[in-house]
Amino acid sequence: MDTSFIKGIIPPVVTPFTKDEKFDEAAFRKHIDWMIKGGIAGLLVFGSNGEFYMLEEDEMEEIITVAVDQVKGRIPVYMGIGAIRTSKCVRLAKMGASKHVDGISILQPMFIKPTEAELKLHFETIARAVPDTPVLLYNNPGRTGYPITQSVVEYLAHNVDNIVGMKDSSGDISQTEEFIRRNADVGFKVMCGKDTVIYAGLAVGCVGAVCCTANYMPELVCSIYNKFMEGDLKGALKAQFDLNPIRLQMDASSFPVAAKDYANIVGQNVGDPFLPNLPSPENQMVKFRELLKNQGLI
């Protein structure tokens, strides 16, 4: 299975909605084109910042159809899956495969806390339902309350042909490095999932990063990866340091509203988050604007 396309900076694209919470197709198409122009290497639909947990299946089908149509093969399109029930995840994976996505990303189940045996069965069942589609695991212990362990990842990487990589949002570089080391023999691709450690992830062998900040400053984010690949390590590190204060300020807002707030400030008009989330308060927006202005982004 060809996995050479799994690399670079991939944003978990925000999902634009109108005031009455209807999908804003025009804004979505415009936002995708703007990020592609900014240099992104792929597009993750229904990542955490895409508010997948707020969407019904018919809405997801409409949105992924539009995404694939708008991209038109210019970059890979990945579909995120974050449901709890295995059978629902299988249904969503088949939906993605039917829309000809380039890959599927699967988050470990939220709310429940499966054993290692249960988690292996969950991921393996989903992956085997779409054998011709590359599957990436998505390790996000901060949102699910527990990690995908090294042993689970090693088992899946070595025993399920189309589980070919993962996004690691642990923020623990030692863990990220071990995911790479323990599965290097099968060409397992690891993407960094924390925007503040893109440089560190690349330094230990990550093939790229999934970055919410690419929703509002794609050129700066992509420059970290591009400069690193070109051997300009000082330039890559400087770009990382330029990004970090902007990203860290997001944590003062309730998740996941800040990505849309920042995108709206730079003129992308992606709408508000789903209720009960609200846009950040004005004092926070002032800080966002100041940080963007300091980097010449507005």
Side-chain angles (χ1 to χ4, degrees):
M1 178 173 285
D2 179 24
T3 63
S4 61
F5 65 90
I6 303 173
K7 61 183 179 180
I9 300 300
I10 302 169
V13 60
V14 297
T15 310
F17 278 81
T18 61
K19 290 290 185 182
D20 58 352
E21 296 191 347
K22 301 296 183 184
F23 174 51
D24 190 337
E25 180 179 335
F28 190 55
R29 290 181 181 273
K30 178 183 175 184
H31 189 52
I32 289 171
D33 281 348
W34 182 77
M35 289 191 295
I36 291 176
K37 185 178 180 181
I40 63 170
L43 188 76
L44 172 61
V45 186
F46 313 133
S48 298
N49 281 272
E51 299 172 280
F52 70 86
Y53 36 82
M54 299 290 196
L55 299 171
E56 303 296 337
E57 288 185 45
D58 60 335
E59 293 175 310
M60 297 181 81
E61 184 168 14
E62 178 186 8
I63 292 163
I64 195 66
T65 300
V66 170
V68 171
D69 178 70
Q70 189 63 25
V71 168
K72 291 182 171 61
R74 290 176 287 173
I75 56 175
V77 176
Y78 304 82
M79 178 175 169
I81 296 174
I84 298 173
R85 187 173 174 177
T86 303
S87 60
K88 181 176 181 180
C89 291
V90 166
R91 190 164 62 246
L92 291 172
K94 288 181 176 180
M95 176 197 295
S98 73
K99 302 299 178 183
H100 306 293
V101 298
D102 298 280
I104 288 170
S105 171
I106 310 171
L107 177 68
Q108 70 260 49
M110 299 169 285
F111 190 74
I112 62 173
K113 190 174 181 181
T115 65
E116 289 199 352
E118 291 167 339
L119 203 53
K120 289 175 184 177
L121 177 61
H122 177 73
F123 286 122
E124 188 168 358
T125 300
I126 302 163
R128 293 198 187 283
V130 287
D132 298 322
T133 302
V135 170
L136 305 177
L137 309 175
Y138 174 16
N139 181 42
N140 193 338
R143 291 292 156 195
T144 62
Y146 67 96
I148 307 176
T149 63
Q150 294 287 339
S151 59
V152 168
V153 172
E154 187 170 4
Y155 169 82
L156 294 168
H158 287 80
N159 290 279
V160 186
D161 290 344
N162 62 323
I163 295 183
V164 298
M166 71 181 295
K167 171 191 175 184
D168 179 29
S169 292
S170 68
D172 183 337
I173 289 298
S174 293
Q175 289 295 318
T176 304
E177 186 174 14
E178 281 298 284
F179 285 131
I180 296 166
R181 182 187 70 81
R182 291 174 63 160
N183 304 292
D185 59 321
V186 290
F188 194 71
K189 303 290 185 74
V190 178
M191 306 285 292
C192 178
K194 288 285 186 180
D195 301 46
T196 50
V197 291
I198 301 168
Y199 180 94
L202 294 172
V204 299
C206 286
V207 297
V210 179
C211 304
C212 68
T213 51
N215 276 286
Y216 55 87
M217 48 181 183
E219 292 180 358
L220 175 59
V221 184
C222 291
S223 73
I224 301 171
Y225 175 82
N226 293 336
K227 289 177 183 293
F228 190 95
M229 292 296 108
E230 292 163 0
D232 180 8
L233 301 186
K234 288 185 178 180
L237 186 57
K238 181 183 183 303
Q240 179 73 78
F241 287 168
D242 287 343
L243 177 150
N244 282 9
I246 301 172
R247 168 61 187 87
L248 290 170
Q249 188 60 43
M250 294 176 70
D251 294 337
S253 297
S254 64
F255 180 83
V257 305
K260 279 187 170 178
D261 291 336
Y262 268 129
N264 285 326
I265 290 171
V266 301
Q268 286 308 103
N269 300 318
V270 295
D272 293 338
F274 280 105
L275 293 173
N277 286 128
L278 295 169
S280 298
E282 183 56 30
N283 65 327
Q284 173 75 330
M285 297 292 279
V286 168
K287 293 177 181 178
F288 287 165
R289 293 187 191 100
E290 181 180 341
L291 288 164
L292 291 172
K293 186 175 182 181
N294 288 344
Q295 288 300 326
L297 296 168
I298 56 171

